[in-house]
Amino acid sequence: MVGSTALGQLAIVATLPIIARLYHPEDLGRLGTFTAFLGTASVATALRYDILIVAAGSELEAIALLAGVCAMTIPVALLCCGILGWLIHQGLLGFGVLPPDAVLWMFPGLVATQLFLTLRYWLMRRQEFPTIARVTLGQSVVRAIAPLALYPLGGWTPLVASEVAGRCAGMGTMLKARGKELRLALAGLPAGAVTRALRNHQESPLAGLPSTLINTASNYLPLPLIAGAYGAAAAGYFAVVQRAMQLPLSLVGRNVADVFHARLAHHARVASGDARRLFWRTSLLLLGLGMIPGAVVLLAGRPAIIALLGREWAVSGDLLVALVPWSVAMFVVSPLSRAVVVFRGQTLKLVYDLISLVAVFVVMGMATSRDWSLTRLVWILSWSQAATYIVYFVVLLRLLPANAGATPVAVPPLDGD
């Protein structure tokens, strides 16, 4: 999985210098603002029922959850598109920089993202990591090549079209691997199975969704807020380096998270005492891996950006260095956050999420009232978010069973299991 993801991310990095010279910073800023909303809204399209597929108590319950997620995706996506249209019209939270057609692109983007994630979680449950790896590689290649192929369309259209196309790519491969089996399982669902599965996990939308929305917003909102306060070009400078600093998370973190999630769910199902040991082993591994790119960026980040993208992107070099504390903390803690789902800690996590989001608005408010430079803003924002991730780590540690006899909250089986 790591190898396939590495190839895909290398393709994206290889085309970034060309994209930076073809497209204006304003266009990249608009794309970053679009993906900020997409990334935040996509956690709501399934009301967080999708992630429960991995640790469902039985295969019947897992398929029932999958069917329920597919049924709710389109209506929730339409609601999210309406919210985006309103934000653009009112010019709120920086989304006023988006053109009106962003709403039309948002709908297929949200639906494709959710269907992909749903199939991904189902394959994770079956531990079919090679299939997931191939699909991840395909998505990255599409995202890397499409902006170059579609450049003649002009403006930001090639960028947003490439983003949506990348999210659609790979679903055919996933369905080809297990499509027949999935269709048979869905056809064999007993009457009322979907309703019972959703009801048995109703704490997910009640507690998990607000928490996850707030957490995701605290990660994504800085970019549109920067667009609103400093302009679309500043958002473009920030978007480029934010993508670069998320490279280690995409390269290693997501794959580690998937394996960690599957193994932690297994320990939970069999009441194993290895959950805490797995948590510490994974966190130390991620810390060691995260320090390497962090040190490289601190030493050579700015000149590397100038050499790759051109001197007009020098501001991005300063922002790249400033993002190191936030990025390293996110790299270590984000994969470990799957423990929240396995051990049902959504309510406790909500406290952390509120602190993180409030920190974003406090720092942004201070920046606008005191006329901070963009670089100073990003430095202070980076350290404040790194501090909140330390709080998050402590929260996650408290969720784990302290001994071999401790077990997570029992999941009631579906009728007929």
Side-chain angles (χ1 to χ4, degrees):
M1 287 181 67
V2 174
S4 297
T5 306
L7 291 175
Q9 293 301 317
L10 286 175
I12 293 176
V13 171
T15 57
L16 186 57
I18 304 174
I19 291 173
R21 287 169 170 81
L22 290 177
Y23 294 92
H24 296 293
E26 290 86 352
D27 293 327
L28 292 172
R30 293 185 184 96
L31 175 66
T33 304
F34 176 88
T35 55
F37 184 89
L38 194 156
T40 303
S42 63
V43 306
T45 47
L47 303 181
R48 301 306 289 160
Y49 282 110
D50 54 349
I51 200 169
L52 299 174
I53 293 171
V54 180
S58 68
E59 287 300 318
L60 175 60
E61 187 173 54
I63 293 297
L65 286 170
L66 186 149
V69 168
C70 292
M72 68 179 67
T73 292
I74 290 180
V76 178
L78 286 171
L79 175 62
C80 292
C81 289
I83 294 173
L84 176 61
W86 179 75
L87 290 173
I88 293 173
H89 180 71
Q90 298 295 325
L92 296 176
L93 300 178
F95 289 104
V97 301
L98 290 176
D101 68 336
V103 177
L104 300 178
W105 287 108
M106 184 59 64
F107 179 73
L110 284 173
V111 173
T113 299
Q114 186 54 66
L115 293 179
F116 168 77
L117 288 175
T118 303
L119 290 172
R120 179 187 176 94
Y121 285 130
W122 187 64
L123 291 177
M124 281 173 53
R125 177 182 177 84
R126 308 180 68 83
Q127 300 197 28
E128 297 195 17
F129 300 117
T131 301
I132 297 173
R134 289 196 302 272
V135 171
T136 303
L137 173 60
Q139 288 190 330
S140 298
V141 170
V142 170
R143 289 182 179 180
I145 296 176
L148 307 181
L150 299 178
Y151 173 70
L153 295 177
W156 88 305
T157 300
L159 294 172
V160 69
S162 301
E163 181 68 25
V164 173
R167 292 173 183 269
C168 293
M171 283 189 285
T173 301
M174 299 169 85
L175 290 173
K176 183 179 179 180
R178 290 290 178 178
K180 182 178 180 181
E181 180 180 344
L182 180 59
R183 287 192 297 272
L184 291 174
L186 289 171
L189 276 176
V194 173
T195 303
R196 286 192 295 272
L198 297 179
R199 187 173 59 246
N200 286 342
H201 295 280
Q202 60 185 322
E203 80 282 356
S204 178
L206 293 177
L209 179 59
S211 174
T212 306
L213 271 175
I214 294 171
N215 174 258
T216 307
S218 67
N219 288 325
Y220 280 113
L221 265 183
L223 195 148
L225 291 175
I226 286 173
Y230 294 87
Y237 296 134
F238 184 79
V240 167
V241 298
Q242 191 179 47
R243 173 174 290 191
M245 289 305 289
Q246 287 176 347
L247 178 62
L249 186 62
S250 300
L251 187 63
V252 178
R254 176 181 289 183
N255 294 317
V256 171
D258 287 345
V259 177
F260 174 75
H261 187 172
R263 291 182 178 175
L264 193 67
H266 171 74
H267 291 317
R269 287 195 294 266
V270 302
S272 168
D274 292 333
R276 189 171 284 259
R277 183 159 56 248
L278 174 66
F279 181 89
W280 277 110
R281 188 166 63 244
T282 305
S283 61
L284 291 175
L285 170 66
L286 289 168
L287 179 62
L289 293 174
M291 294 297 291
I292 297 173
V296 171
V297 169
L298 286 174
L299 293 174
R302 189 176 191 275
I305 287 291
I306 295 174
L308 288 172
L309 307 184
R311 184 157 295 277
E312 65 272 23
W313 290 88
V315 174
S316 292
D318 296 328
L319 303 184
L320 182 68
V321 175
L323 281 174
V324 168
W326 186 0
S327 301
V328 172
M330 181 186 296
F331 177 80
V332 174
V333 180
S334 287
L336 302 174
S337 67
R338 302 292 180 90
V340 170
V341 179
V342 176
F343 292 101
R344 301 191 181 189
Q346 290 92 340
T347 303
L348 183 61
K349 176 177 175 288
L350 182 60
V351 177
Y352 152 76
D353 294 324
L354 288 170
I355 294 173
S356 179
L357 185 61
V358 168
V360 170
F361 282 105
V362 168
V363 172
M364 288 300 305
M366 293 175 65
T368 54
S369 64
R370 300 185 182 185
D371 266 343
W372 287 353
S373 67
L374 179 61
T375 302
R376 183 180 182 186
L377 161 67
V378 175
W379 267 112
I380 296 176
L381 186 64
S382 178
W383 278 111
S384 68
Q385 291 302 302
T388 63
Y389 269 109
I390 294 175
V391 175
Y392 194 11
F393 182 88
V394 175
V395 169
L396 294 172
L397 188 58
R398 291 189 60 184
L399 292 176
L400 300 177
N403 53 66
T407 60
V409 178
V411 180
L414 288 174
D415 295 347
D417 280 5

